[in-house]
Amino acid sequence: MTDMNEEKTRDDLKFVQIDASSSDADIIETAARCFDHLKAAFSDPFYADTETRNTFSWMEEERFRAFCSIIPSDPQRHEIGITYYAVCEIYREALRFPVDCERLLSGPKYNEVWENFPFGDPRRPMLPRQGNNQIISERMAKSVLTWVYLHEQCHLFQCHGEISRRVAPSGSAGGLLVEDVCDLQPSSGSTEQATLSHLFELSADHEATRYTIGLLAAAEGGQLPKVTLWCFISGLTCLFNRFFGYRTERETPPYPCGTHPEPSYRMSILLRGMTTLLNDPEFRKFAPWADNPDEFQSLAKHAIIVATLFCRLSYSSRDAEQSFLAGLGAERKMPETYTHAMIEMWCRVRPMIEEQYFGLDKTCIFPMISESELT
C-alpha cells in the first residue's frame, strides 16, 4: 500500500459505529463515505491521464449484486455498481454475526471443535479475543464493503471483461460485464467460460486482498490487530458462501462450473496469498505477531470454521452443519481435471492480463500457478 493511500485512509476508513437501531439510510450513508474514499484513492488516479471515465452507481434492485462493466456504446466509461440491498445485507449480517454465533455455537456439542481450534476467547470460544460484539460487527462490515469495491475495480484493472470476450465469448449482445451475484445456476455456461470466471475471481480476490489489508492497517493507525484480520476472514467466508448460493455439495465437479469457485477452495487459495503477503516486509510491519506462522494459521482456521458454521446454520440446514463438522480437519483436494483446466487457461490468459493491466502494480495479479498450488 502506498503512503498516498495510507494518509487518505486514516480519517475516511475509521470504523464508524453502526448498531441494530441504525436505519438503512444510516448504513447507506456510511457505505457511501467508504466508497467515495476508495474511488478517490484507488480508482481516480489510474484514470486521471486517460480518456476513460470511471463511475460508481447505486442500484435499486432487491437482490445481492455487485458488478463492473464497460458498455460497448460508450467504451470509455468504466462502471462499478452495487445494490442498496447488498450494502444493507452486509451490515445487517455483520450485526447478527456475533450474537448468532454465541447463541448457535455454544454448548457441549461444540466443545471438541473449540479444543481443536483454540483461537477464541475462553469465555465464548467461538469469537475472537479482544473483540466485543460492536468491534466484530464494525470490522466485518467495513472490511467486506472495502473488499467488494476493490474486487470490482481489480476486475477492471485486469481487463477481465475484454479478455473474456476474446477468449470465451458467451454469445451475449451485452457489454463487458463482470458480475458478482448469488450463483444459483452452477451448470450454466461452457466449461471454458466457467474456468475463466473462476480464475478471474481468484485473481481479483488476490489483488483486492492486498489493498484491503493495507487499508485496514492504516485505519488502525498502522497496525493490523488479530481481531481485525479475523473479522476480515470471517466476513469473506460469509461473502463467498453467499456468492456460491449457500450450496453444500459433498462432491466437487470434475471441471469448473458456474461463475464462482467453491467457497472453501476459494478461501484456501486466498489464504496462501495472504500468508505470502504477511511475509512481505512492507506488510509485516503492520502485523509483527505474524512472525509466528502458526498464529496466523490458527486465527484463519478458527475464523473460517466459525463463519462456515454460521452460514450453514443460518442459511442451510442441520444436515449441512453435521456434514461440515464430520469433515473438519480433512484435506479437501480438487480433482486433477479441475486443476489441469485452470492451469492451462491461466497460462493462456495471464500474459494478456499483464499486457493490458493498468492498476497499481503487475505483481498484484494472481501469479503463475502449479498443480500443487491449485489442489
Side-chain angles (χ1 to χ4, degrees):
M1 186 177 127
T2 65
D3 291 340
M4 169 191 73
N5 290 331
E6 184 172 337
E7 286 302 315
K8 294 181 76 174
T9 298
R10 259 179 220 287
D11 293 327
D12 291 334
L13 281 189
K14 288 287 186 184
F15 296 109
V16 178
Q17 289 191 16
I18 291 287
D19 58 37
S21 66
S22 300
S23 67
D24 286 356
D26 294 331
I27 291 171
I28 290 165
E29 181 182 355
T30 299
R33 287 199 299 270
C34 174
F35 293 148
D36 286 347
H37 162 73
L38 293 168
K39 184 176 182 297
F42 279 91
S43 299
D44 293 350
F46 299 98
Y47 292 92
D49 297 325
T50 74
E51 295 181 359
T52 304
R53 309 181 314 281
N54 62 305
T55 61
F56 177 81
S57 299
W58 286 99
M59 312 298 290
E60 295 188 359
E61 304 167 55
E62 285 292 314
R63 64 170 175 152
F64 198 101
R65 180 184 181 223
F67 70 91
C68 62
S69 69
I70 303 172
I71 308 301
S73 61
D74 188 6
Q76 300 304 317
R77 178 187 171 195
H78 286 192
E79 180 182 25
I80 294 173
I82 191 168
T83 59
Y84 292 116
Y85 177 88
V87 166
C88 291
E89 279 287 289
I90 287 170
Y91 268 98
R92 298 292 183 204
E93 182 173 77
L95 287 167
R96 292 198 316 272
F97 185 85
V99 177
D100 285 0
C101 284
E102 189 168 7
R103 176 175 59 85
L104 294 169
L105 304 179
S106 295
K109 175 181 178 180
Y110 295 100
N111 287 349
E112 186 176 353
V113 175
W114 311 133
E115 288 171 5
N116 292 331
F117 300 94
F119 181 80
D121 188 317
R123 295 168 300 170
R124 40 182 208 166
M126 73 295 298
L127 296 170
R129 302 179 183 92
Q130 302 175 340
N132 60 36
N133 288 1
Q134 180 178 312
I135 287 173
I136 292 169
S137 294
E138 289 170 357
R139 279 151 179 72
M140 280 187 71
K142 189 59 71 74
S143 62
V144 170
L145 277 180
T146 299
W147 187 91
V148 166
Y149 179 95
L150 293 171
H151 177 88
E152 301 305 330
Q153 181 61 67
C154 292
H155 279 308
L156 291 170
F157 282 158
Q158 298 183 29
C159 302
H160 289 167
E162 181 178 343
I163 291 170
S164 179
R165 187 172 66 173
R166 289 165 53 191
V167 173
S170 65
S172 169
L176 304 180
L177 173 70
V178 179
E179 194 167 32
D180 286 294
V181 296
C182 184
D183 188 4
L184 295 175
Q185 295 180 311
S187 61
S188 62
S190 69
T191 297
E192 188 175 50
Q193 289 164 353
T195 303
L196 201 57
S197 181
H198 286 206
L199 285 164
F200 286 164
E201 292 304 321
L202 295 180
S203 194
D205 290 354
H206 183 82
E207 184 170 10
T209 299
R210 183 181 184 92
Y211 300 151
T212 302
I213 287 179
L215 286 167
L216 293 174
E220 298 271 11
Q223 295 294 316
L224 185 64
K226 294 177 189 177
V227 64
T228 298
L229 190 57
W230 188 96
C231 292
F232 180 36
I233 293 172
S234 294
L236 285 185
T237 301
C238 292
L239 186 71
F240 291 170
N241 275 278
R242 183 186 291 272
F243 285 144
F244 198 66
Y246 298 114
R247 302 194 308 276
T248 56
E249 292 112 327
R250 297 292 297 276
E251 298 295 330
T252 302
Y255 294 96
C257 65
T259 57
H260 291 74
E262 191 274 332
S264 63
Y265 171 69
R266 188 176 180 182
M267 183 57 76
S268 71
I269 297 296
L270 189 61
L271 289 179
R272 293 179 198 181
M274 202 178 287
T275 300
T276 302
L277 186 67
L278 291 175
N279 284 326
D280 185 323
E282 181 183 359
F283 288 86
R284 176 56 60 85
K285 64 187 179 184
F286 301 144
W289 54 265
D291 280 334
N292 179 355
D294 291 340
E295 189 71 10
F296 171 69
Q297 291 300 320
S298 176
L299 178 157
K301 288 177 181 177
H302 185 270
I304 291 168
I305 288 167
V306 171
T308 302
L309 285 170
F310 167 81
C311 290
R312 297 284 175 105
L313 290 169
S314 298
Y315 305 111
S316 297
S317 67
R318 287 281 174 181
D319 289 342
E321 175 210 18
Q322 290 302 321
S323 66
F324 176 72
L325 289 173
L328 277 181
E331 185 175 1
R332 184 173 185 178
K333 295 218 176 251
M334 302 303 287
E336 288 186 8
T337 47
Y338 181 101
T339 57
H340 286 329
M342 295 280 279
I343 291 167
E344 184 177 303
M345 180 63 79
W346 198 234
C347 289
R348 182 180 172 191
V349 302
R350 193 180 190 279
M352 299 181 192
I353 295 173
E354 283 192 318
E355 182 180 349
Q356 297 181 236
Y357 180 80
F358 66 97
L360 184 64
D361 191 326
K362 290 182 180 180
T363 61
C364 295
I365 303 169
F366 190 56
M368 293 300 292
I369 43 181
S370 66
E371 186 169 338
S372 63
E373 291 172 310
L374 273 183
T375 54

